[in-house]
Amino acid sequence: MRLAVGDVDVAEYVTEPEVDPLNGPRPYLHPVRTLAGVEVTDVLPEDHQWHLGVSVAMQDVNGVNLWGGRTYVRDQGYTWLDDHGRIIHAQWLAQAADSFSERLLWLGPQDETLLTETRTVAARAVPLGWELSFSYELSTIQPVTLGSPATNGRPGGAGYGGFFWRATPGPTTTFTASRTGEESVNGSDEPWVALTGPGPYTLVFRGLSDDDRWFVRTGAGGYNGVCAALAFEKTVTVTPDAPLSRSLTILVADGALTREQITA
């Protein structure tokens, strides 16, 4: 289905992707565009074929890889394991031209249900462009632990997992109100983080919760992307009495915005 802001289609949502089981099949948004039509997402890139536009995924869900690619194993590094699951669209809860809500199932290698997700996505016009709101809640009938390569021993701030936006290739910069560059922004908990890319365009991400951190790559890490990481330094457990809820907003703007424009 498509998302529109007024009469402009700004994103396409793929519910049944044709993705190799080793690449973490899951629903995703792609392409996402600015109001002027500049594409701001990438999908199935050669460097990381499990990066799927805008999606939610974790590399360790009770030991199941729902991110795709190799699994990071403590004291071994990235290793191919028979541990891949998938996330599937199960039911529409609401649909409109500018929004939708749905129920998804996070499944293990034997199609066992690990988590149930409720997701709401909407698009609206704002002064600098348009804004994507993306909310999701993970629930379970038994405790489920969410982890990342970092929680499994990988050094270097590789605590990715959760809401992830793979941006288009090309020269890119990232900054917050007080930081500039991947090395400084990655792992921070700033109220917002901006990424500017070729076009030019600017994405401004907001909405970290609890102990979440921004995981950011801007070419120096091999690709361009931003993740609101759930398990950047330590695991997170979802229980029947404590579902995990997150709500993010992303400004999608034409042009290279400045700090002053973002904070005005």
Side-chain angles (χ1 to χ4, degrees):
M1 67 168 293
R2 294 179 178 178
L3 280 179
V5 173
D7 59 357
V8 178
D9 288 339
V10 293
E12 183 173 340
Y13 191 57
V14 180
T15 57
E16 298 181 1
E18 296 182 3
V19 173
D20 189 299
L22 297 179
N23 288 332
R26 58 194 182 272
Y28 61 85
L29 288 160
H30 176 80
V32 179
R33 300 184 180 92
T34 69
L35 292 177
V38 177
E39 199 164 297
V40 296
T41 53
D42 199 2
V43 69
L44 297 169
E46 282 300 316
D47 53 54
H48 294 75
Q49 293 187 13
W50 45 92
H51 288 182
L52 305 177
V54 179
S55 67
V56 180
M58 296 294 299
Q59 206 194 56
D60 184 349
V61 182
N62 269 7
V64 175
N65 183 340
L66 289 167
W67 181 270
R70 296 175 297 168
T71 299
Y72 193 87
V73 179
R74 189 179 298 276
D75 299 325
Q76 295 184 37
Y78 283 108
T79 305
W80 283 110
L81 299 177
D82 187 19
D83 64 347
H84 292 82
R86 60 195 179 111
I87 300 172
I88 64 169
H89 165 83
Q91 178 186 8
W92 291 115
L93 302 177
Q95 287 180 276
D98 61 354
S99 62
F100 64 84
S101 297
E102 63 175 329
R103 186 169 61 90
L104 304 99
L105 300 177
W106 292 37
L107 304 177
Q110 307 304 317
D111 277 352
E112 68 275 22
T113 298
L114 303 170
L115 293 164
T116 299
E117 178 188 344
T118 302
R119 178 179 298 182
T120 299
V121 178
R124 68 184 183 100
V126 294
L128 294 175
W130 70 275
E131 183 180 81
L132 178 73
S133 63
F134 195 111
S135 301
Y136 66 99
E137 180 176 278
L138 302 177
S139 58
T140 181
I141 59 173
Q142 59 185 7
V144 173
T145 299
L146 307 178
S148 68
T151 65
N152 287 318
R154 182 184 170 184
Y160 55 82
F163 173 88
F164 178 63
W165 188 301
R166 172 66 192 246
T168 52
T172 304
T173 60
T174 185
F175 59 93
T176 69
S178 61
R179 302 167 184 251
T180 301
E182 175 186 322
E183 185 175 345
S184 178
V185 175
N186 187 55
S188 70
D189 61 353
E190 296 283 307
W192 58 265
V193 59
L195 184 146
T196 62
Y201 67 82
T202 303
L203 306 173
V204 183
F205 300 80
R206 295 180 172 91
L208 286 188
S209 300
D210 300 334
D211 292 325
D212 298 355
R213 294 291 184 270
W214 297 117
F215 171 84
V216 177
R217 291 290 184 262
T218 55
Y223 59 85
N224 301 321
V226 176
C227 177
L230 299 176
F232 194 83
E233 294 180 329
K234 59 184 180 180
T235 60
V236 175
T237 300
V238 184
T239 69
D241 296 329
L244 183 145
S245 297
R246 295 293 186 267
S247 184
L248 297 125
T249 62
I250 302 90
L251 169 66
V252 181
D254 285 288
L257 299 183
T258 65
R259 285 187 174 93
E260 291 72 22
Q261 288 175 294
I262 293 170
T263 57

